[in-house]
Amino acid sequence: MTTRAVAVDAPEPYQDRLRARPEIEQWPPDAPAPQYIHEQPLSSPSKEATLRAAIDIRRSPSRHLARTEWLRSLNSFSFGAHSDSDNTHFGLLLVSNEDTVEPGTGFDTHPHRDMEIVTWVLEGALVHKDSTGHNGIIYPGLAQRMTAGSGILHSEKNDSWTLTGDQEHANPVHFIQMWVLPDTANVTPGYEQLDINAPLDQGGWVTLASGMPKHSGARAISIRQKHAALHVARLRPAETVQVATAPFVHLFMAHGSISLEGSGALAQGDAARITGSEGRRISAGAEGAEVLMWEMDTTLSFR
C-alpha cells in the first residue's frame, strides 16, 4: 500500500530551535517571534511524498531516561540535554514524555512558545498554573491542552493539597506529556480541559484532542493543528478496535497490553510508529489496556 502525504520543510533557524528545545530554556517575553514552518496544502504536488506502509516498534527500555531526585522522565524523542538527530519527531509529534513526579515537587514556572501541549495523567494528580490565570488539578480521564502561542509561563506540581486543603500525600503523579507544532504561529495563548471518563468507560476510541475539521463537534478539546488528532481508548480484556487510516499514526501503550495486527504484543511503555496506516486491528490483553493514538496526515522535513 502507498499513501500520499505532505512533508513540511523546516527552515534551518527553526531546526536549530527544535534541537535546542528553547521551550525549556530562558525565554524573555520581548523576544522576537521564531521563524515558523509554513504549511502547504495537501494537494500541493511539490510537497507530496509517497509513503510505503511500515511499522517501527519502539520498546519501552529503548527510551532515554532522565532522572533527578524528584523526577523520572522517559523520553520517546530528543528532549532537553538528550539529543539524537535520528529521533527528533514522528509526523508532527515532537515530544512524548512519560513522567513520574514525587510529591511536593514538580516543574517550577517556565516558558513555552508556539507549541500545543497535551497532558494525560495516568495516576495521581497534577497541579497546573499558568500566566493566563488558569489553575487546577489534572487527574486521570481529564483531557487537558495548553496552547503556548505567543508565549506563556506555567508550572506543573504534585501538590494538590495546596488547592484542595487536604493533608499532604505521599503519592507520585504519573503522566504523559505530548507536544505538537501548531499550524499557526504567535497566536493568543489558551487552555482547555474536559472530563472524558464517561465516554471512555463505554469502550472504543474517544477523540481526546483534535484540530482536524472532520472531528469538529466530536472531540473533547481542540488543538491548533489541523493535521493532527489524539485519540484514547480504555479497552476491556479482549476488546478490539481499529487503528486510524492515516499517513502517520503513533500508538503508545499507557496501561496494560495489546496485540497489534501483524506486529505482535505491545506492553506498557511500548510504542508503534506506523507509516501508511490502513486500519490494522489492536486487541487488549487479559488485563485490558489504555492506548493513546496520534493520527497525523503531515510530517516535518529536515533537509
Side-chain angles (χ1 to χ4, degrees):
M1 184 197 77
T2 60
T3 303
R4 307 297 288 179
V6 172
V8 182
D9 290 332
E12 280 297 327
Y14 198 84
Q15 293 183 36
D16 292 339
R17 291 186 70 246
L18 294 180
R19 295 187 189 105
R21 296 295 183 206
E23 291 80 9
I24 58 173
E25 298 174 357
Q26 293 299 315
W27 169 78
D30 58 351
Q35 294 197 42
Y36 190 69
I37 296 170
H38 296 286
E39 294 183 320
Q40 298 293 327
L42 285 172
S43 59
S44 170
S46 64
K47 293 292 180 179
E48 284 189 351
T50 299
L51 301 174
R52 297 198 175 276
I55 300 180
D56 179 9
I57 302 297
R58 300 289 179 116
R59 299 298 178 187
S60 178
S62 70
R63 293 177 292 174
H64 175 258
L65 172 61
R67 294 195 77 124
T68 69
E69 291 182 355
W70 57 271
L71 171 69
R72 182 178 186 268
S73 183
L74 289 160
N75 310 144
S76 294
F77 305 100
S78 291
F79 187 80
H82 169 61
S83 178
D84 180 354
S85 60
D86 294 325
N87 188 31
T88 58
H89 69 290
F90 181 75
L92 291 171
L93 185 61
L94 286 166
V95 171
S96 180
N97 290 350
E98 181 179 355
D99 291 345
T100 303
V101 174
E102 293 300 313
T105 68
F107 298 94
D108 290 327
T109 301
H110 59 282
H112 291 280
R113 192 169 190 168
D114 283 325
M115 201 66 70
E116 297 294 292
I117 300 174
V118 179
T119 301
W120 183 250
V121 172
L122 303 179
E123 296 174 284
L126 183 69
V127 173
H128 167 96
K129 297 180 181 179
D130 67 46
S131 55
T132 67
H134 292 100
N135 65 80
I137 299 173
I138 312 170
Y139 52 84
L142 184 76
Q144 186 257 17
R145 177 267 301 156
M146 185 179 76
T147 293
S150 58
I152 196 168
L153 300 170
H154 82 140
S155 64
E156 296 156 301
K157 297 287 190 71
N158 183 4
D159 58 359
S160 58
W161 57 85
T162 62
L163 294 183
T164 64
D166 295 336
Q167 288 188 337
E168 294 187 23
H169 61 71
N171 303 318
V173 60
H174 181 198
F175 61 97
I176 310 297
Q177 189 163 96
M178 299 154 283
W179 300 5
V180 296
L181 286 170
D183 55 33
T184 305
N186 230 24
V187 300
T188 301
Y191 180 93
E192 190 176 7
Q193 67 178 42
L194 185 70
D195 189 309
I196 58 173
N197 277 295
L200 275 176
D201 289 341
Q202 295 174 14
W205 292 113
V206 175
T207 302
L208 190 162
S210 177
M212 291 182 166
K214 68 180 182 179
H215 296 135
S216 179
R219 63 195 177 200
I221 57 176
S222 63
I223 54 174
R224 286 183 173 269
Q225 177 47 262
K226 62 189 176 186
H227 296 306
L230 173 62
H231 312 275
V232 60
R234 190 177 285 167
L235 304 176
R236 302 177 184 88
E239 183 178 351
T240 297
V241 292
Q242 273 198 319
V243 176
T245 296
F248 304 96
V249 170
H250 185 275
L251 290 176
F252 178 78
M253 284 301 309
H255 282 305
S257 63
I258 62 168
S259 175
L260 172 61
E261 184 180 4
S263 296
L266 273 69
Q268 195 283 325
D270 290 347
R273 303 179 186 183
I274 308 174
T275 305
S277 173
E278 196 178 39
R280 293 171 182 265
R281 292 187 301 273
I282 60 174
S283 299
E287 70 275 42
E290 187 168 291
V291 189
L292 292 164
M293 176 178 70
W294 280 97
E295 170 191 359
M296 300 165 284
D297 56 26
T298 303
T299 188
L300 302 175
S301 176
F302 294 87
R303 338 185 261 188

